Amino acid sequence: MKKVGFFKSIHFKFVVVYILLILIAMQVIGVLFMDRQEQKLRENFTKNIDENADMIEVNVEEELENILTQSDKEAPQERLSSLLQDFSFTFSDIDKMMVVNLDQQIIAADDEDLVGKKSTQNLISQALLGHSTNDIFQIEDGDQLVRTYVVSKPVRSAQNGQLLGALYLEASIEDIYGLSRTLNEILANATIIALAITALLGIVLASTITRPLADMQKQAQVMARGDFTRKVKVYDKDEIGQLAASFNDLTKKLQEANEITESERTKLRSVLSYMTDGVIATDRDGFIILMNDRSEEMLSMSRHEAMGRYLPEVLGIEKDFSIDKLEESSNSLILDYSSHEVPFILRASFSVIQKDDGPVNGIITVLHDVTEQEQIERERREFVSNVSHELRTPLTTMRSYLEALEEGAMQDENLAPKFLSVTQQETERMIRLVTDLLQLSKMDNKDFRPNFQKVNLRELMLQVIDRFEMSKSDQITFEKHISDKPLPVRIDRDKITQVLDNIISNALKYSPDGGKVTFHLNKDGKSVHISIKDEGVGIPKQNLSKIFDRFYRVDKARSREIGGTGLGLAIAKEVVIAHNGQIWAESEYGKGTTIHVKLPTHQTREASA
Ligand code: ADP
């Protein structure tokens, strides 16, 4: 997270707010207080001057009376002047005192130079007309203006009220303003000191709020990285302390929730990765957001490659299906990924991720490997069609011969026995086929168990070979490499006899005249190894593995002609497998074929059961 700049921090804001509050408070107090203070000082000053003026007036009036009456022996005018000088000492605030007679002549003043001069002052003229003036004026003193309180008042006789002259006083009020200025300066200094203290206090106070907040911010950052072990320190029980406590509580709950989610996720991950089915999840637009290990294997595509790709494209069905179509279809799809060599068929089932009737949030696709099922189903269909075909062929042949007999061949002495013999052969072939099918069907049954008994395989094999030796044509020779010692084994005598019959009859069937059939029988550790080799037509390499499949024939026409059902080796394989043995073929096309059978000498208890 970006660090908060100092000027944007709460810390700074707090300090600014404190300072502004103090500043405003000081300013308001200062303005109100100074105004009041100045007014009060001015009032006191003027009141004092007024009282002094009244006192001077009383004395001046007395002296002016004397001047008029000339009652006193001493020169009254001089007495008046000395009176004013005395007063100027007593009332040091008064800067100028003048007494003017009715002719506007200055008859006494604290400044002797003025005495005898004529006053031209308007205020004095006004006073001589009976108007008093008490006001502040700006009076020039040299080159500067001085605020001065001026009192100009008429002096009347105390006895008859007759106007005797005028009294004029000036008192500079600048000192009052000076005092007020000094107070202002003191207040300004006090404000600066208060602001400095406030700023310091603000920093300390703000830190008590911002410290827990910064702590919580740090905690939130650590939590975002997945670490829930850290705790916020609770400094106090105030609101911020409660917030810190709630924050710690929240951290704990979040940790618990996180642990639950994590364990659920681990469970889900392990379930998904151990699932035998592939699971793919997409977002609402059909882009892959999750896939398990099995689906990676099934689609031969790494998660890294598939993530974020369009599901129908990954499944290779984008031409026929859009994601909306898959959402709507409730049926599953069969996806055939088989190659020439390996069959691989998947069934894909789709279900939408949707809460109640809310919007579709994605699709879950489950991929199930149905190769085996599909193969079984395919084989079953093939088997039914093969059986039908195999039965139809002899039946059709028989029908045509029977029709021919019915239509007159019966009366033909030469044809009739021939035709009857063919129908008999076909009937026998059908019986053989049905017998073989029944036998295979019995062995396909889950409950089928070979009837194990102790048999001397050497003796059994020689018996079978002898039987064939008697019926074979003289053109074919037998070569036997059978061990002299008895070979006791636990086998199903009839079933193994049939295996040998099927293999030997094939060797004879596919051997040309003059061919040799070689028999080997020997013990190989805990098993016996039988091999029957002929010098017949052989089997092409590509068909070798298929000759044990039901109804498989390398050369169909020839095999049928020879009377084969295509089930001989399939039965042999089932019998050998039921004996826990192995059967395989080796062949060189045109040179001959060897069929190998390996059987265990003893059956385990389970196999026997
Ligand atoms: P069939 O009854 O047709 O012989 P089998 O299951 O016994 O059926 O054999 C399957 C096919 O394997 C035969 O059709 C034949 O093409 C081939 N085959 C089996 N044994 C031999 C052999 N010894 N030499 C050549 N081909 C053989």
Side-chain angles (χ1 to χ4, degrees), residues 506 509-510 534 537 539 547 552-554 559 564-566 568-569 593:
N506 277 348
K509 270 193 278 182
Y510 299 103
D534 63 60
V537 288
I539 303 162
I547 59 166
Y552 185 83
R553 299 169 175 109
V554 179
S559 166
T565 57
L569 287 181
T593 307

Side-chain angles (χ1 to χ4, degrees), residues 385-511:
S385 117
N386 278 334
V387 171
S388 321
H389 183 76
E390 292 299 328
L391 287 172
R392 206 169 178 274
T393 316
L395 283 170
T396 324
T397 317
M398 277 164 67
R399 189 177 64 185
S400 50
Y401 278 91
L402 287 172
E403 274 171 6
L405 285 169
E406 199 184 29
E407 281 165 15
M410 194 73 159
Q411 272 70 46
D412 189 325
E413 278 179 21
N414 288 327
L415 282 178
K418 256 191 206 166
F419 280 19
L420 280 172
S421 147
V422 172
T423 52
Q424 200 178 350
Q425 275 170 27
E426 289 302 317
T427 313
E428 269 164 21
R429 196 144 81 96
M430 268 189 349
I431 292 170
R432 262 204 318 278
L433 185 72
V434 174
T435 315
D436 282 356
L437 279 173
L438 274 173
Q439 199 164 355
L440 269 174
S441 152
K442 257 190 222 161
M443 284 191 283
D444 283 342
N445 196 318
K446 269 190 286 180
D447 299 329
F448 168 74
R449 298 271 175 274
N451 179 21
F452 288 115
Q453 48 192 281
K454 208 169 175 189
V455 175
N456 181 356
L457 191 60
R458 178 180 180 275
E459 191 192 314
L460 176 75
M461 192 149 166
L462 286 173
Q463 266 176 26
V464 177
I465 296 169
D466 284 349
R467 185 153 41 82
F468 276 97
E469 205 150 27
M470 280 191 279
S471 59
K472 76 169 176 55
S473 89
D474 294 338
Q475 305 291 327
I476 294 171
T477 54
F478 277 4
E479 189 179 310
K480 291 173 262 181
H481 298 273
I482 312 274
S483 87
D484 299 333
K485 289 180 216 155
L487 268 180
V489 285
R490 277 189 72 79
I491 51 168
D492 184 324
R493 190 184 180 99
D494 293 345
K495 292 279 180 298
I496 293 297
T497 307
Q498 194 179 356
V499 171
L500 294 173
D501 278 356
N502 289 353
I503 297 171
I504 299 168
S505 65
N506 277 348
L508 293 172
K509 270 193 278 182
Y510 299 103
S511 281

Side-chain angles (χ1 to χ4, degrees), residues 11 99 113 123 174 212 304 308 394 406 467 505 510 528 533 602:
H11 213 113
V99 176
D113 296 346
L123 291 176
E174 281 300 333
H304 181 69
E406 199 184 29
R467 185 153 41 82
S505 65
Y510 299 103
V528 284
K533 186 182 172 202
H602 288 87

